[in-house]
Amino acid sequence: MSEPAAVHELDARRLLCPLPVIRTQNALKALPIGAQLRVRCTDPGTLHDIPTWCRLNGHRVVQQDVVEREQVFLIEKGERS
């Protein structure tokens, strides 16, 4: 049985729009299709910006949480980069 794929991490805390989206985009470009990226943000605008960007670019938000003023997204890279 194969090991589950590692979840890659991106710390975008203390960054303001548009940097969390740009850093997410750059991190996903470096990953293979199907890889997962966990992004941690403190900019409340990312609650809208990151899911919208993912939808427009063919990626999937697997999970989205708010934990102690941090937005946490688990994103699966789609076929478009």
Side-chain angles (χ1 to χ4, degrees):
M1 184 150 76
S2 64
E3 293 285 320
V7 174
H8 302 268
E9 300 283 338
L10 173 63
D11 184 354
R13 294 176 289 188
R14 295 174 296 286
L15 298 176
L16 298 176
C17 181
L19 288 176
V21 174
I22 291 169
R23 298 267 174 97
T24 299
Q25 175 183 6
N26 292 342
L28 284 170
K29 280 183 182 179
L31 298 177
I33 293 169
Q36 291 189 336
L37 177 68
R38 181 176 295 112
V39 183
R40 297 181 186 280
C41 307
T42 49
D43 180 355
T46 59
L47 286 171
H48 177 263
D49 295 346
I50 287 183
T52 299
W53 180 86
C54 286
R55 187 179 69 251
L56 293 173
N57 289 280
H59 308 298
R60 183 170 73 99
V61 176
V62 176
Q63 187 174 357
Q64 179 176 336
D65 294 307
V66 177
V67 180
E68 297 183 16
R69 295 186 181 173
E70 285 186 12
Q71 290 69 245
V72 182
F73 303 90
L74 181 61
I75 301 167
E76 183 178 288
K77 182 174 178 173
E79 292 188 19
R80 292 187 283 168
S81 53

